[in-house]
Amino acid sequence: MAPATITVVVEPRGKPIKKLPREIQIAPNASTQELYSSVAEASAFSIHRLRITKGSDRSLVPNSKETTIDGTGLKEKSVVHVKDLGPQISWRTVFIVEYLGPLLIPALFLFPLRPLLYYNFDAIPEPSDLQLIVCALLTIHFLKREYETVFVHRFSNATMPARNIVKNSGHYWVLAGFNIAYWVFRPDAAAATGQPHPALLYTGLALFIFGELANFNTHLVLRGLRRPGTTERGIPSGFGFSAVTCPNYFFEIVSWVGVYLVSGLSWSVLFFIVVGAAQMASWAKKKERRYRKEFGDKYKRKRFVMLPGLV
């Protein structure tokens, strides 16, 4: 007959945790989430700040409603190590802050800050129609990002280390905000011309609209694969998924190519696309490997993870 409760020995890993209990009494059929809750309550730490691993093999004990204590192999007097991950911040908050910079910076650079930024020009003309269009496209893109962050995305991890917000925000604030806005909105930029190239303008607008709508549709599909409050995922399918692992990344690039064309082929937009595409390609390759491992033969393997015929 299985015991009603077992004693799990708790030891700190890394820096000490002042109120960490030495032992926890828990039922073998309890979820590992209950173990996290017990340790968090006793130590007066947020549950998201703790990582618990088995002392026997250092494998992770997941914070999960579906995984039981017995299912992890923990027995009477088993040792677990508890690590303090440091101050945490929610992923949703991180995303909101990331996108806030490039959402606000273009309009600030184009209007109130324009005389200060371009003071060295003999004359500072009013923004051209093309510069106004680029500003509108950037605003629409990052408003969409903010909307998706608040109402669409479901995050597999609740939090991340708070210190990472500076690093994560830097990419968007610097490359998509300061970099693009400063160079595209200069009085001598290609976008400052009063006679935009019709082929670049209309092709760019078409690509932007298509990319934004297709990207949004992909995010809705991905949202539908995960039940609220769980980390379980289904196999993604639908528009774009038969061609690449991550069509959301592909459509993101399509949208930014549209901005690149409308901007008059600004090198600053192209630089942002190249840096972003390299990072997304790395994420997409990891996701393909995870799908293959998680779903096995049920998953139709993809040859290309992000760009059809290329990557």
Side-chain angles (χ1 to χ4, degrees):
M1 183 176 178
T5 62
I6 62 172
T7 300
V8 177
V9 179
V10 181
E11 297 179 355
R13 184 178 179 186
K15 58 185 179 181
I17 300 174
K18 187 176 181 180
K19 297 182 180 180
L20 187 70
R22 294 184 178 182
E23 295 179 344
I24 289 287
Q25 304 291 324
I26 194 164
N29 62 353
S31 70
T32 52
Q33 187 180 75
E34 292 178 56
L35 175 63
Y36 272 83
S37 297
S38 297
V39 175
E41 183 178 359
S43 60
F45 270 34
S46 165
I47 194 172
H48 301 298
R49 185 167 173 164
L50 303 175
R51 175 184 292 158
I52 301 177
T53 54
K54 293 167 60 178
S56 57
D57 59 7
R58 298 291 179 88
S59 61
L60 177 68
V61 177
N63 178 8
S64 169
K65 292 181 180 178
E66 288 74 30
T67 305
T68 64
I69 297 296
D70 190 56
T72 65
L74 292 173
K75 306 295 183 184
E76 175 71 17
K77 292 298 183 180
S78 288
V79 177
V80 295
H81 293 157
V82 179
K83 183 175 182 179
D84 174 13
L85 299 176
Q88 301 287 298
I89 187 170
S90 75
W91 273 94
R92 199 176 305 277
T93 300
V94 172
F95 275 39
I96 290 172
V97 173
E98 281 182 359
Y99 304 144
L100 187 61
L103 172 62
L104 301 177
I105 289 170
L108 290 174
F109 276 35
L110 195 59
F111 298 109
L113 298 181
R114 188 172 177 83
L116 300 176
L117 292 169
Y118 307 117
Y119 67 90
N120 55 326
F121 284 84
D122 293 334
I124 303 177
E126 291 295 312
S128 70
D129 290 342
L130 206 54
Q131 288 174 323
L132 292 173
I133 292 174
V134 172
C135 183
L137 297 186
L138 295 174
T139 301
I140 290 169
H141 176 78
F142 287 106
L143 273 176
K144 168 181 164 291
R145 286 285 192 92
E146 296 284 30
Y147 176 84
E148 290 170 339
T149 297
V150 176
F151 298 107
V152 178
H153 294 323
R154 289 177 178 153
F155 300 92
S156 55
N157 295 314
T159 65
M160 66 182 295
R163 64 180 180 275
N164 286 358
I165 192 170
V166 176
K167 178 184 69 176
N168 285 39
S169 299
H171 170 74
Y172 288 102
W173 283 62
V174 175
L175 293 186
F178 299 128
N179 168 59
I180 291 178
Y182 178 81
W183 294 105
V184 173
F185 299 154
R186 279 173 62 95
D188 59 352
T193 178
Q195 296 294 327
H197 194 291
L200 292 180
L201 174 60
Y202 294 116
T203 302
L205 288 175
L207 288 176
F208 178 82
I209 294 170
F210 169 77
E212 292 292 299
L213 292 176
N215 176 268
F216 182 68
N217 175 71
T218 305
H219 287 157
L220 292 178
V221 171
L222 293 172
R223 171 189 169 85
L225 298 175
R226 177 176 293 155
R227 289 183 300 158
T230 73
T231 58
E232 294 181 0
R233 287 179 294 265
I235 299 176
S237 62
F239 183 61
F241 285 100
S242 60
V244 293
T245 309
C246 299
N248 51 321
Y249 296 159
F250 170 57
F251 297 134
E252 175 88 1
I253 292 173
V254 168
S255 178
W256 277 102
V257 169
V259 177
Y260 172 62
L261 296 180
V262 174
S263 72
L265 310 181
S266 171
W267 69 267
S268 61
V269 180
L270 181 61
F271 181 65
F272 175 73
I273 293 173
V274 170
V275 173
Q279 179 62 75
M280 288 188 287
S282 174
W283 290 336
K285 290 176 182 178
K286 291 179 181 178
K287 187 163 290 188
E288 173 67 17
R289 290 195 294 268
R290 191 177 74 226
Y291 284 162
R292 292 182 182 185
K293 180 179 179 181
E294 184 175 352
F295 300 117
D297 294 337
K298 296 180 181 180
Y299 176 68
K300 184 178 179 181
R301 299 188 172 197
K302 306 297 190 304
R303 181 180 178 186
F304 303 106
V305 297
M306 187 178 71
L307 297 177
L310 293 176
V311 181

